[in-house]
């Protein structure tokens, strides 16, 4: 116990003396999180929504305009953003935003569209009646008006398939509205003609319901947004990067002869290893806390979504602790196996980068090919990331993330075992 | 007197080398003796000392320390030995005091006992003013002295020192050697290697000159000088027995 405590205390003092190294451990990852989240924000938005953003200027604000607007909004293929109408030149501003590429599609529903539609339908009906009946309405004065109008502006780079889908959607919605209006006009004419109230029940409901669903392997797959992916991902990455200072620390002790000295005076090397693990474990925890804090408080200031920590804080803490343990274990193993500082820092950093790439830290696993999705499972960083997805996105509790926790713990124990064996059988110092 | 260390037909061959670093050597060291291991660079001094304190496994042969076999009783042996390595085995970023406290704890000493022991030794070696300074600000001689203190905090029965006086000034050398003599007087067995013949001649009860892993001559310095007619001191014998060629 004395040896363990002394070893821990010594490591803490050493760490606090290495201001530069400490700053690297905290500042670099925070920068990484901010940059990667900003970079990938739009990519993730597209992934998350898989919806085509369209900008709509509804100048009609009556049955026709409202119906089209709501129709498009409720579609799972479009995300509808309304163009502010109170600006000086809403039409010009809409065109500009599409031309500048902010939106690929802009739609203008011209003013008075609903009135024109009603008028023209009424006109058509009356024109169909025999002359004496139409006179009955005293409506000979009714004039055909210009058709209601929808203008669609495309960004020149818009794909044809998008153009088609928006045009057909608009056709669908406008015929829906036409039918609705037609029905209303008829019922009011009937009322005038026969003084008969139509039973409006049932209205004009859609008779066919088409539901659009995504086909995914995993029925409950939830796609994270940029923040929900990048913050935990780079937190894990940074935590695993402590293998470099930790392994370096172990090798330095060997190179300076300190570990020989310790081997002579101390029975087992285990308390010494555990002292290091403890110290770097807490470094990992501090890293995680600071990076999650960046996700919660700093990213929103940059216009990014806030990181929501989910409702299972205990699961989150346990998971973070085990990630930190696994990372320290990995550092100890590399420090014990590598023969020189150079070997350990090169092997350490490259292996962490590879494990990160495989594990879906750089490119999320769910957009990898099937084979790579399988391969990703060998990476401890992937077990960690899955755990975070579960806790942050699905509100999983400790029990539900048990597979991640157990894998990480086993990894740690395995690492420690290997390192211990290596240290006690190492013949050349 | 009892035998503190018995070395029987010891050989060491490092991996991937064709020659033996230690080649079939046998000698014994008595309790309370100060024994000098002398030899040119690469002779096998460090290798021998490393095997004696259990850091290296021998290829052949046997080592008995305090009556215990070095392989089967390594844990018990660890409790009675101390080592002062050839390299400065200290944390450069810790102060002298922090280094010594850590190594003291590792040797199982703690609390006020350790505190007193550290300040006592720092005092003896003229470092009490420097206790709170980082070791990387120390001169070579100061580092050597701290390196030595770290190996004797627990007052071992048998002390191994690998070139404890290399690269230091006359004053430091004097303090170190005189302190080693006081340790010897209280019964500590001391095995030390050196390139400094005058020093060995003056302080060692017996010396062994080794070269290419073999013991060439060993015995009391005075007896050896008498034996070699044309030699007036240990240095002459050293040159006489190991030749003038440079070693790696
Ligand atoms: N780890 C090692 N691997 C291979 N060969 C080694 C190793 N350590 C030492 N040797 C070789 O063993 C021989 C003895 O080396 P050793 O360090 O014991 O010499 P030494 O007497 O302590 O020399 P010096 O006075 O320079 O310290 C040398 O030839 C050296 O090259
Ligand atoms: Mg040597």
């Amino acid at each position: 116990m004395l040896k363990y405590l002394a070893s821990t205390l010594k490591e803490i003092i050493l760490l606090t003396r290495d201001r530069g190294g400490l700053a690297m451990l905290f500042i670099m990852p925070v920068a990484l999180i901010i940059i990667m989240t900003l970079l990938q924000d739009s990519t993730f938005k597209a992934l998350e929504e898989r919806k085509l953003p369209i900008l709509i200027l509804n100048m009609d604000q009556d049955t026709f305009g409202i119906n089209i607007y709501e129709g498009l909004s409720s579609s799972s293929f479009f995300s509808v953003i309304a163009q502010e109408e109170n600006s000086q030149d809403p039409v010009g501003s809409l065109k500009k935003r599409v031309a500048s590429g902010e939106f690929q599609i802009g739609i203008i529903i011209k003013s008075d569209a609903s009135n024109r539609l009603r008028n023209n339908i009424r006109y058509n009906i009356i024109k169909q009646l025999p002359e004496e009946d139409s006179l009955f309405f005293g409506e000979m004065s009714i004039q055909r008006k210009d058709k209601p109008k929808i203008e669609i502006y495309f960004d020149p780079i818009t794909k044809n398939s998008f153009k088609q889908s928006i045009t057909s959607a608009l056709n669908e919605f406008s015929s829906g509205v036409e039918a609705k209006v037609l029905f209303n006009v008829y019922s009011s004419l009937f009322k005038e003609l026969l003084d008969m109230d139509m039973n409006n029940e049932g209205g004009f409901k859609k008779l066919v319901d088409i539901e659009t669903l995504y086909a995914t392997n995993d029925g409950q797959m939830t796609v994270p947004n940029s923040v929900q992916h990048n913050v935990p991902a780079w937190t894990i990455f940074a935590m695993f990067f402590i293998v470099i200072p930790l392994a370096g620390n172990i090798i330095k002790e060997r190179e300076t002869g300190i570990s020989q000295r310790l081997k002579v005076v101390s029975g087992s090397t285990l308390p010494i290893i555990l002292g290091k693990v403890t110290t770097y474990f807490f470094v990992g925890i501090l890293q995680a806390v600071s990076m999650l804090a960046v996700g919660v408080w700093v990213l929103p200031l940059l216009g990014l979504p806030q990181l929501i920590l989910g409702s299972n804080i205990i699961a989150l803490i346990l998971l973070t602790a085990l990630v930190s343990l696994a990372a320290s274990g990995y550092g100890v193993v590399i420090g014990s196996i590598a023969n020189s500082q150079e070997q350990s820092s090169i092997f350490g950093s490259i292996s962490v980068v590879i494990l990160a790439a495989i594990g879906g830290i750089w490119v999320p696993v769910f957009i990898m090919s099937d084979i790579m999705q399988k391969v990703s499972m060998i990476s401890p960083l992937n077990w960690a990331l899955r755990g975070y997805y579960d806790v942050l996105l699905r509100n999983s509790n400790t029990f539900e993330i048990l597979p991640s926790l157990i894998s990480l713990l086993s990894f740690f124990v395995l690492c420690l075992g290997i390192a211990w064996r290596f240290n006690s059988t190492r013949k050349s110092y | 007197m009892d035998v503190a260390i018995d070395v029987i037909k010891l050989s060491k061959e490092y991996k991937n080398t064709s020659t033996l670093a230690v080649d079939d050597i046998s000698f014994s060291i008595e309790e309370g003796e100060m024994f000098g291991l002398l030899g040119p660079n690469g002779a096998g001094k460090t290798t021998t000392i490393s095997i004696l304190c259990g850091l290296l496994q021998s290829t052949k042969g046997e080592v008995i320390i305090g009556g215990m076999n070095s392989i089967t009783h390594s844990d018990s042996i660890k409790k009675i030995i101390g080592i002062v390595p050839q390299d400065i085995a200290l944390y450069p970023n810790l102060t002298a005091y922090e280094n010594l406290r850590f190594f003291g704890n590792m040797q199982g000493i703690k609390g006020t006992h350790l505190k007193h022991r550290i300040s006592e030794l720092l005092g003896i070696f003229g470092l009490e003013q420097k206790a709170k300074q980082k070791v990387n600000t120390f001169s070579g001689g100061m580092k050597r002295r701290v390196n030595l203190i770290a190996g004797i905090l627990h007052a071992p029965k048998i002390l191994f020192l690998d070139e404890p006086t290399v690269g230091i000034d006359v004053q430091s050398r004097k303090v170190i050697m005189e302190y080693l003599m006081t340790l010897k007087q209280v019964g500590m067995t001391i095995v030390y290697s050196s390139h400094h013949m005058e020093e060995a001649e003056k302080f060692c009860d017996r010396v062994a000159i080794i070269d290419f892993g073999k013991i060439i001559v060993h015995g009391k310095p005075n007896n050896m000088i008498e034996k070699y007619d044309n030699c007036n001191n240990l240095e002459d014998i050293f040159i006489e027995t190991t030749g003038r060629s440079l070693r790696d």
Side-chain angles (χ1 to χ4, degrees):
Chain A
M1 196 63 189
L2 172 67
K3 289 177 187 174
Y4 166 68
L5 291 177
S7 175
T8 310
L9 174 68
K10 180 253 312 176
E11 292 298 340
I12 292 172
I13 298 176
L14 282 177
L15 257 179
T16 53
R17 299 255 160 95
D18 183 14
R19 294 275 158 77
L22 217 52
M24 298 269 269
L25 282 180
F26 286 92
I27 295 169
M28 299 283 282
V30 166
L32 205 58
I33 282 189
I34 293 176
I35 293 167
M36 295 309 280
T37 312
L38 283 170
L39 275 178
Q40 296 187 355
D41 192 40
S42 56
T43 317
F44 269 89
K45 264 190 193 139
L47 262 177
E48 166 200 11
E49 297 170 340
R50 293 196 203 170
K51 283 182 178 180
L52 187 61
I54 44 185
L55 185 61
I56 292 195
L57 174 58
N58 180 8
M59 299 167 82
D60 178 41
Q61 296 299 4
D62 199 347
T63 319
F64 184 72
I66 291 170
N67 270 286
I68 299 247
Y69 185 90
E70 283 177 354
L72 286 174
S73 307
S74 63
S75 151
S76 47
F77 293 108
F78 310 109
S79 72
V80 177
I81 287 109
Q83 164 70 39
E84 298 285 338
E85 266 176 283
N86 46 12
S87 67
Q88 283 262 321
D89 175 16
V91 176
S93 140
L94 177 136
K95 288 183 192 169
K96 222 182 269 167
R97 289 172 82 178
V98 174
S100 70
E102 187 184 342
F103 288 89
Q104 290 195 19
I105 296 170
I107 293 174
I108 300 176
I109 302 165
K110 291 287 194 182
S111 57
D112 205 32
S114 302
N115 275 332
R116 291 183 188 185
L117 183 63
R118 268 187 227 110
N119 179 81
N120 290 355
I121 286 174
R122 201 176 166 92
Y123 175 87
N124 285 347
I125 295 172
I126 290 170
K127 281 293 160 191
Q128 281 170 26
L129 294 172
E131 201 140 318
E132 61 276 18
D133 286 334
S134 64
L135 275 174
F136 172 83
F137 292 104
E139 289 277 3
M140 283 316 284
S141 56
I142 189 168
Q143 294 294 316
R144 183 194 283 271
K145 289 190 181 178
D146 286 341
K147 285 185 194 161
K149 218 169 170 184
I150 299 178
E151 287 174 350
I152 311 178
Y153 294 91
F154 291 111
D155 180 343
I157 62 156
T158 307
K159 285 189 203 146
N160 264 332
S161 59
F162 284 171
K163 289 185 190 167
Q164 268 163 19
S165 72
I166 187 72
T167 327
S168 65
L170 282 174
N171 275 329
E172 182 201 333
F173 295 130
S174 68
S175 34
V177 185
E178 272 171 41
K180 221 179 213 170
V181 173
L182 183 68
F183 181 79
N184 285 339
V185 171
Y186 259 118
S187 58
S188 72
L189 280 175
F190 269 114
K191 193 171 168 165
E192 282 175 50
L193 194 61
L194 309 168
D195 200 20
M196 183 174 90
D197 264 327
M198 296 293 283
N199 187 358
N200 228 342
E201 224 170 285
F204 207 83
K205 283 197 182 127
K206 258 175 128 183
L207 297 178
V208 179
D209 195 11
I210 300 172
E211 199 186 351
T212 51
L213 299 166
Y214 293 119
T216 60
N217 306 333
D218 177 359
Q220 50 161 12
M221 187 183 81
T222 327
V223 179
N225 65 29
S226 178
V227 169
Q228 287 162 328
H229 167 74
N230 278 303
V231 174
W234 298 108
T235 302
I236 296 167
F237 184 70
M239 285 163 88
F240 266 85
F241 243 83
I242 62 167
V243 302
I244 289 143
L246 176 50
N249 169 306
I250 292 173
I251 290 166
K252 211 182 278 168
E253 285 193 355
R254 223 163 45 221
E255 283 177 348
T256 52
I258 290 174
S259 62
Q260 282 107 299
R261 171 168 253 162
L262 290 176
K263 201 174 177 198
V264 172
V265 296
S266 158
S268 162
T269 50
L270 201 58
I272 299 162
I273 293 181
L274 286 181
K276 291 183 200 300
V277 167
T278 308
T279 307
Y280 283 83
F281 167 78
F282 282 111
V283 171
I285 298 285
L286 283 179
Q287 282 183 309
V289 169
S290 61
M291 281 180 274
L292 295 180
V294 166
V296 175
W297 288 298
V298 179
L299 294 185
L301 301 179
L302 302 173
L304 293 163
Q306 188 180 37
L307 179 70
I308 308 294
L309 292 181
S311 53
N312 284 303
I313 296 301
I314 294 184
L316 186 66
I317 292 172
L318 268 176
L319 179 64
T320 306
L322 281 168
V323 175
S324 193
L325 263 190
S328 336
Y330 190 49
V332 168
V333 131
I334 290 183
S336 307
I337 294 177
N339 283 321
S340 66
Q341 295 275 358
E342 292 75 22
Q343 256 184 27
S344 94
S345 59
I346 292 172
F347 180 77
S349 50
I350 292 182
S351 68
V352 170
V353 168
I354 289 175
L355 288 176
I358 296 176
I361 302 290
W362 303 86
V363 177
V365 168
F366 54 82
I367 60 175
M368 290 180 182
S369 69
D370 275 357
I371 297 171
M372 285 315 287
Q373 294 208 4
K374 295 235 161 62
V375 173
S376 76
M377 305 230 209
I378 63 165
S379 167
L381 280 78
N382 180 252
W383 313 334
L385 191 57
R386 271 168 199 272
Y388 278 108
Y389 279 172
D390 285 341
V391 174
L392 300 182
L393 299 179
R394 293 183 201 123
N395 278 322
S396 301
N397 57 32
T398 308
F399 185 72
E400 286 162 327
I401 58 164
L402 220 47
S404 285
L405 298 181
I406 290 175
S407 326
L408 289 166
L409 185 64
S410 323
F411 179 75
F412 168 69
V413 172
L414 181 73
C415 284
L416 219 57
I418 294 175
W420 193 50
R421 267 211 72 76
F422 249 86
N423 277 336
S424 46
T425 58
R426 183 178 273 279
K427 294 196 183 80
S428 57
Y429 280 86
Chain B
M1 251 191 209
D2 286 340
V3 172
I5 300 170
D6 214 358
V7 177
I8 305 151
K9 292 180 164 302
L10 191 68
S11 292
K12 173 69 188 177
E13 186 180 353
Y14 283 107
K15 258 188 215 148
N16 310 322
T17 55
S18 50
T19 53
L20 292 172
V22 171
D23 190 356
D24 195 32
I25 59 171
S26 301
F27 60 91
S28 52
I29 300 170
E30 282 171 9
E31 257 178 29
E33 201 178 18
M34 183 138 168
F35 189 89
L37 269 179
L38 312 177
N41 290 138
K45 302 181 293 294
T46 300
T47 306
T48 305
I49 289 182
S50 298
I51 296 171
L52 294 189
C53 48
L55 282 172
L56 270 183
Q57 266 181 356
S58 60
T59 314
K60 262 189 222 149
E62 208 179 340
V63 175
I64 310 286
I65 292 184
M68 299 174 282
N69 183 291
S70 68
I71 292 165
T72 55
H73 291 77
S74 64
D75 284 343
S76 314
I77 291 175
K78 275 175 185 165
K79 295 201 179 91
I80 60 165
I81 64 170
I83 184 173
V84 177
Q86 181 171 358
D87 303 317
I88 306 290
L90 300 168
Y91 295 97
N93 273 326
L94 294 186
T95 66
Y97 184 82
E98 287 163 346
N99 264 294
L100 294 173
R101 185 183 56 198
F102 172 67
F103 289 114
N105 285 159
M106 287 296 147
Q107 291 157 358
I109 324 169
K110 58 183 177 194
T112 49
H113 174 52
L114 177 60
K115 231 181 198 161
H116 289 149
R117 183 91 179 120
I118 292 174
S119 51
E120 177 199 347
L121 288 167
L122 283 174
I124 290 172
F125 288 96
L127 290 168
E128 63 270 71
Q129 305 299 323
K130 308 281 182 180
K132 296 217 149 56
Q133 278 185 26
K134 283 200 222 167
V135 166
N136 61 11
T137 66
F138 282 16
S139 72
M142 287 156 73
K143 285 181 192 160
R144 280 256 157 244
R145 282 177 270 164
V146 180
N147 196 40
L148 180 96
I149 298 173
I152 56 175
L153 283 166
H154 61 312
K157 279 178 74 176
I158 302 174
L159 179 63
F160 297 93
L161 303 108
D162 199 355
E163 301 190 26
T165 56
V166 71
I168 57 175
D169 62 17
V170 181
Q171 286 84 353
S172 289
R173 175 192 304 277
K174 206 165 149 55
V175 175
I176 288 179
M177 291 317 293
E178 279 171 2
Y179 187 69
L180 290 182
M181 289 314 286
T182 64
L183 289 180
K184 180 176 129 65
Q185 260 138 41
V186 297
M188 194 183 280
T189 308
I190 298 170
V191 182
Y192 100 123
S193 76
S194 180
H195 289 292
H196 206 278
M197 295 306 133
E198 216 179 306
E199 180 184 289
E201 188 178 328
K202 188 168 164 197
F203 292 102
C204 291
D205 299 312
R206 285 189 308 142
V207 299
I209 296 178
I210 58 177
D211 200 8
F212 300 110
K214 282 188 160 68
I215 296 187
I216 299 176
V217 278
H218 75 291
K220 291 187 174 24
N222 286 337
N223 294 355
M224 286 162 71
I225 294 167
E226 275 171 28
K227 222 171 91 188
Y228 287 82
D229 292 340
N230 50 347
C231 296
N232 298 321
N233 53 38
L234 207 51
E235 187 158 332
D236 291 345
I237 297 174
F238 191 84
I239 292 291
E240 176 78 23
T241 53
T242 61
R244 289 179 179 274
S245 66
L246 292 179
R247 308 301 163 80
D248 36 55

